[in-house]
Amino acid sequence: MTTPHHEATRPTRTAWRVLAGALVLVLVSGALVGARVWFFGIEDGDFATEPLADGGAVRLRRLWGGDAAPEAELQRVDADGRVLWAASIENVTTPYVLIIGDRVLTRMTRRPFVHAWLRSYALDSGALAWEQPCDDSGDGFSYTTQLTVIDRERVLEIVPTREGSRLRLRELERGALRWDVAGPAHAPGARIALRTFGGAWFLDSDDGVTSARLDLEDGSLDPGAPSDALGVCRTSDDVVHLARSGELVVRDASGHDVTLGRLRTSGRIVCARDGADLFVAWTDDEPTGQSSPTVPALTQRDHIALGASSTGLLALVCDRAVVWAIESAWGYLDVGITPPSDVARWTPRTDGTSLVGEVVEAPRFVHDEVGYEGGRHAPVRIERATGLASAGAAR
């Protein structure tokens, strides 16, 4: 027998089920939207904006609507914000606008979002000039495709894949491919940057694992180091790599390999040349050294053979020999070493005859009660000729 109370609660339970289901959908939808917002870095307003010399701009504007509605609109606005033309974008992948001469490039996808296309629009009218596929196999990695301008006639696509990357040189007139080749490998999450120096082009991964010279005629790569190297850095003439054996090896412009010393097999290296001097720095990715509470611990040596407590190294190499090396058990030595480019030619930070920089303590995990500690830095001065170093108090 059913009581009135039971009859009364039946629709209430049903309503609660419906409400709970709706709440789950809202939460799931919110999580997906949240993930999308996080992945693309979308905030209120435009996806991306590129200013123009006349005071106006080209912007990729987000639209709100149903599933069938366009997600975005590419617009050109004048200096007063008036829209001169607009073009609908079905679904935005990477939220950027790239202006090359009289062309505007952006990327889009169509459902089910597994393939992407590169689009070129006329800057003066917004007319679609061409559309070309620009992903690999729809495995999701292509969402981070990078476009790099070579000149007003060519653009390079760097497409991350599960196996490494693909490189595509594309003509801007019709979007036709000049070549499509396998690119350098890189760790998940790492990005590859194109650098030019002295008329040569280099592809450097920001994880320090690869650096290869790129031939724009056919897309061929010259890595300059063994394929199993743990880290590679190169200037225009030098290739420095960390072998799996722990040996730090430099190959100069004449093709000679010189072993500079031995490092632990973890960590990354950077290098830069300043005239006849080649500077090489090494940083431990997972430092285990002990911090001093006030002053970083620096040790000068005339060779490279780091122990288990070393966390950083700075060395000066000249005529294929180590002039001096400074080992740190507190952090890495930062004097502004970066590979040279035609945009920014590297010179060390100097004050008279001294290199000036800082010792930067890398964060490291201590134990569950403490978690990560580190991240402090202290000023450092290094006599360029002798390598004698002094560091100030940590901050």
Side-chain angles (χ1 to χ4, degrees):
M1 181 176 178
T2 303
T3 64
H5 173 73
H6 289 153
E7 291 289 346
T9 57
R10 233 175 240 167
T12 304
R13 288 174 180 168
T14 301
W16 275 111
R17 290 191 186 102
V18 172
L19 181 59
L23 181 60
V24 168
L25 287 175
V26 169
L27 291 175
V28 170
S29 300
L32 291 175
V33 171
R36 188 177 183 184
V37 169
W38 171 83
F39 186 77
F40 291 132
I42 299 171
E43 299 177 354
D44 290 340
D46 298 339
F47 281 110
T49 301
E50 283 296 319
L52 298 173
D54 62 4
V58 174
R59 62 189 186 187
L60 191 59
R61 188 76 171 170
R62 183 172 63 253
L63 301 178
W64 296 106
D67 289 341
E71 183 182 82
E73 192 173 67
L74 188 66
Q75 301 176 346
R76 178 173 178 176
V77 297
D78 62 17
D80 296 322
R82 292 187 296 264
V83 177
L84 302 179
W85 54 256
S88 295
I89 303 292
E90 287 90 330
N91 294 282
V92 176
T93 52
T94 309
Y96 61 69
V97 172
L98 186 63
I99 300 176
I100 309 176
D102 59 356
R103 301 183 182 278
V104 182
L105 299 184
T106 192
R107 292 177 79 238
M108 51 77 65
T109 58
R110 298 187 180 96
R111 296 178 188 277
F113 312 118
V114 293
H115 295 291
W117 285 264
L118 181 65
R119 280 185 170 180
S120 173
Y121 295 86
L123 178 61
D124 59 351
S125 66
L128 179 63
W130 51 260
E131 176 183 286
Q132 295 284 0
C134 63
D135 64 1
D136 245 32
S137 59
D139 58 12
F141 283 80
S142 60
Y143 280 113
T144 54
T145 291
Q146 301 165 240
L147 291 179
T148 300
V149 177
I150 302 300
D151 49 38
R152 293 174 70 93
E153 298 178 352
R154 298 173 297 174
V155 64
L156 179 69
E157 294 177 31
I158 304 175
V159 187
T161 65
R162 293 186 185 277
E163 293 75 26
S165 63
R166 292 206 68 81
L167 306 175
R168 298 189 180 106
L169 188 68
R170 193 179 294 277
E171 296 178 352
L172 288 174
E173 180 63 29
R174 297 292 178 187
L177 286 175
R178 288 196 178 181
W179 44 256
D180 180 352
V181 301
H186 59 86
R191 294 177 67 84
I192 299 175
L194 184 66
R195 169 174 60 94
T196 178
F197 182 68
W201 295 84
F202 302 90
L203 289 168
D204 301 329
S205 63
D206 61 6
D207 61 359
V209 173
T210 60
S211 180
R213 184 165 179 163
L214 172 66
D215 187 337
L216 286 177
E217 290 301 316
D218 57 9
S220 59
L221 294 172
D222 173 20
S227 59
D228 62 348
L230 297 174
V232 181
C233 176
R234 63 190 304 162
T235 68
S236 53
D237 297 323
D238 314 283
V239 181
V240 182
H241 77 269
L242 178 59
R244 289 196 172 273
S245 62
E247 291 183 329
L248 187 62
V249 180
V250 59
R251 175 174 297 175
D252 59 22
S254 62
H256 291 91
D257 285 347
V258 179
T259 299
L260 303 179
R262 183 173 293 276
L263 303 176
R264 293 204 310 280
T265 55
S266 64
R268 64 175 300 174
I269 56 174
V270 293
C271 61
R273 176 168 289 281
D274 186 30
D277 296 335
L278 174 65
F279 290 90
V280 180
W282 170 84
T283 306
D284 190 354
D285 285 337
E286 299 179 356
T288 57
Q290 299 298 314
S291 297
S292 164
T294 54
V295 180
L298 302 176
T299 302
Q300 185 190 24
R301 50 178 67 222
D302 57 5
H303 63 284
I304 298 175
L306 301 189
S309 62
S310 302
T311 58
L313 171 84
L314 177 66
L316 172 62
V317 180
C318 190
D319 294 330
R320 307 176 192 170
V322 177
V323 179
W324 50 254
I326 304 169
E327 174 189 354
S328 174
W330 190 84
Y332 65 91
L333 282 71
D334 179 14
V335 293
I337 291 180
T338 55
S341 72
D342 289 334
V343 176
R345 291 176 179 264
W346 177 84
T347 54
R349 295 193 291 261
T350 58
D351 179 13
T353 60
S354 297
L355 302 177
V356 294
E358 59 183 3
V359 189
V360 182
E361 182 187 27
R364 65 185 184 281
F365 188 79
V366 181
H367 47 72
D368 291 336
E369 289 76 13
V370 177
Y372 280 91
E373 70 171 19
R376 296 172 297 174
H377 54 96
V380 62
R381 294 180 66 90
I382 303 167
E383 285 298 319
R384 180 163 181 155
T386 64
L388 294 175
S390 59
R395 300 187 298 273

